[in-house]
Amino acid sequence: MFQTLYSYFWWERLWLPANLTWADLEDRDGRVYAKASDLYITLPLAFLFLIVRHLFETYVATPLAGLLNVKEKIRLKATPNAVLEKFYASTSKHPKQADVELLSKRSGCSVRQVERWFRRRRNQDRPSLLKKFREASWRFTFYLIAFIAGMAVIVDKPWFYDLREVWKGYPIQSMLPSQYWYYMIELSFYWSLLFSIASDVKRKDFKEQIIHHVATIILISFSWFANYIRAGTLIMALHDSSDYLLESAKMFNYAGWRNTCNNIFIVFAAVFIITRLVILPFWIMHCTVVYPLDLYPAFFGYYFFNFMMVVLQSLHIFWAYLIIRMAQKFITGKVVEDERSDREETDNSEEEEEAAKNGPLSNGHPVLNNNHRKTD
């Protein structure tokens, strides 16, 4: 049974155009072709990435956070309460009003004290500013290096300037060493992101991030199997062109350098919209949808690859909507925040009490009448 499934999975008609077989892609006469077995190395490399990331965050990102004066907010801890903790862990982190009243009776606390306890308990579970900074620093470093490396791989190739060259001679296209390592590193990195997603900072688009990572891994792997390497290198470099800008904007945001963050964000928004909503659909996807049909009839791999491209493009539209919302806030003079981030909650009841004595508060501290921000 396993052999039958294996045979069906690697059936040439799924992966290759008509009249071509895997025998046509065997190494010969100094020409080297992509093989599925090449991707086995990406799993141990992914774990190596996790080790390198830990070392980077410990010995590079943490000292950098100190230099940029990344400071943690003082969070008030929820007092130990077995009844409330049990409900928080097993039922809901956001109890309804009826639940609050019931918990008030069971725990011996007032309704306001129960509400305050849940706010503080939720804040305890939120990632620290240092954790966010370290994660953004790691991703910024990788995306920047990957973008530079990707451009070095494709900038001297004829298909970078003429997209019809992507399919010239397909699929009998020899693989270059630079393409091999570009693929292995990119795929290994996205495996590492998928492995660490449970412990990374969770944002509102958590499900979309999982879909993105899985779709990216499938696309990279499939393009390798089907020898879509030329198209694959263009797509990967295009995505890396804006990602490092977003991560650097986050870093400066966590450090409190608002002007720098906002300026970088404007550049990121422009690059993202141009690359993901213009170049990708109207140049790259046109290249993968239209040009191949001039050479061979459509086959399963053609439909599958372009379907996954549509999935990615749908995510790009979703994120572009969030980016435009953030841009609108910036234009109207509001502070630009990551729309995907979970906001810190404050103890409103305590603030009201303190406000009556000391005036208005911000996050538990008196507001000083100065609107200056750290600038660069």
Side-chain angles (χ1 to χ4, degrees):
M1 180 180 176
F2 176 78
Q3 186 62 38
T4 303
L5 292 174
Y6 182 85
S7 300
Y8 275 119
F9 183 80
W10 292 111
W11 185 37
E12 285 95 343
R13 296 291 69 81
L14 291 179
W15 302 91
L16 300 174
N19 302 322
L20 284 168
T21 67
W22 293 118
D24 296 315
L25 297 180
E26 292 179 357
D27 298 347
R28 62 172 65 90
D29 302 325
R31 298 174 68 89
V32 179
Y33 299 97
K35 303 175 188 63
S37 58
D38 294 334
L39 300 187
Y40 292 154
I41 195 176
T42 60
L43 292 177
L45 281 178
F47 287 103
L48 180 61
F49 262 119
L50 293 176
I51 295 172
V52 173
R53 172 181 174 174
H54 174 73
L55 295 174
F56 177 89
E57 291 183 350
T58 302
Y59 297 107
V60 178
T62 301
L64 180 61
L67 290 174
L68 293 177
N69 203 27
V70 176
K71 292 182 178 180
E72 293 290 351
K73 292 181 179 179
I74 298 175
R75 293 177 178 175
L76 298 174
K77 292 185 178 181
T79 55
N81 189 304
V83 174
L84 300 181
E85 185 65 39
K86 182 179 179 181
F87 186 92
Y88 181 87
S90 61
T91 306
S92 175
K93 297 180 180 180
H94 298 270
K96 298 178 181 178
Q97 187 60 35
D99 295 325
V100 171
E101 293 174 358
L102 182 61
L103 288 170
S104 173
K105 296 175 182 178
R106 289 180 179 177
S107 63
C109 301
S110 67
V111 170
R112 178 167 290 186
Q113 287 174 328
V114 172
E115 291 172 341
R116 183 187 304 156
W117 188 94
F118 274 91
R119 281 195 296 269
R120 291 182 177 179
R121 186 64 182 83
R122 286 192 295 267
N123 282 340
Q124 283 179 223
D125 283 350
R126 288 188 172 86
S128 66
L129 204 59
L130 178 59
K131 178 179 174 65
K132 292 180 179 180
F133 181 87
R134 286 164 43 147
E135 181 180 306
S137 299
W138 164 246
R139 296 191 183 194
F140 163 76
T141 303
F142 175 83
Y143 289 135
L144 179 60
I145 294 174
F147 175 63
I148 295 172
M151 291 304 298
V153 168
I154 64 176
V155 74
D156 61 339
K157 306 301 186 294
W159 53 87
F160 180 70
Y161 304 95
D162 181 3
L163 292 179
R164 289 190 177 274
E165 291 287 331
V166 167
W167 305 108
K168 186 176 181 180
Y170 177 83
I172 313 301
Q173 297 173 338
S174 183
M175 177 187 64
L176 301 174
S178 59
Q179 293 173 326
Y180 171 84
W181 285 110
Y182 188 33
Y183 257 81
M184 297 306 109
I185 291 173
E186 284 276 355
L187 183 55
S188 300
F189 179 75
Y190 279 102
W191 273 121
S192 74
L193 289 184
L194 191 62
F195 294 156
S196 65
I197 196 166
S199 60
D200 286 344
V201 176
K202 289 184 175 62
R203 295 186 168 85
K204 294 177 183 177
D205 63 345
F206 178 74
K207 294 179 181 178
E208 288 81 4
Q209 284 286 351
I210 294 177
I211 294 171
H212 174 267
H213 295 341
V214 172
T216 301
I217 289 171
I218 292 173
L219 263 175
I220 294 175
S221 301
F222 177 84
S223 66
W224 184 261
F225 297 157
N227 211 25
Y228 275 41
I229 295 177
R230 294 182 181 181
T233 53
L234 291 174
I235 293 167
M236 289 188 295
L238 188 73
H239 280 75
D240 290 336
S241 65
S242 62
D243 288 340
Y244 70 92
L245 292 169
L246 175 61
E247 300 303 331
S248 63
K250 289 181 186 178
M251 291 169 61
F252 285 111
N253 179 46
Y254 301 144
W257 294 42
R258 303 297 186 192
N259 289 342
T260 304
C261 167
N262 292 342
N263 291 333
I264 293 176
F265 176 78
I266 291 174
V267 177
F268 158 73
V271 173
F272 184 95
I273 291 172
I274 291 171
T275 56
R276 309 289 181 94
L277 300 188
V278 179
I279 296 177
L280 185 66
F282 296 108
W283 271 268
I284 303 298
M285 291 183 68
H286 181 268
C287 168
T288 62
V289 172
V290 177
Y291 293 164
L293 299 181
D294 295 337
L295 303 174
Y296 54 80
F299 62 106
F300 172 80
Y302 165 86
Y303 290 116
F304 180 78
F305 182 84
N306 285 297
F307 170 75
M308 296 307 297
M309 289 292 290
V310 170
V311 171
L312 273 187
Q313 187 58 35
S314 300
L315 291 172
H316 296 158
I317 294 171
F318 168 74
W319 283 317
Y321 165 73
L322 297 182
I323 290 169
I324 291 171
R325 282 182 57 181
M326 294 165 68
Q328 287 177 334
K329 289 184 178 182
F330 173 78
I331 293 171
T332 56
K334 297 179 180 179
V335 176
V336 175
E337 298 180 39
D338 190 341
E339 284 285 339
R340 305 169 301 157
S341 295
D342 201 10
R343 290 176 176 82
E344 194 93 3
E345 295 178 272
T346 57
D347 291 333
N348 293 329
S349 58
E350 292 178 348
E351 291 178 4
E352 289 167 3
E353 293 170 6
E354 290 295 325
K357 301 175 185 177
N358 305 322
L361 300 176
S362 175
N363 289 332
H365 300 283
V367 172
L368 300 178
N369 239 346
N370 53 3
N371 296 320
H372 69 275
R373 294 174 180 169
K374 181 185 287 185
T375 60
D376 43 316

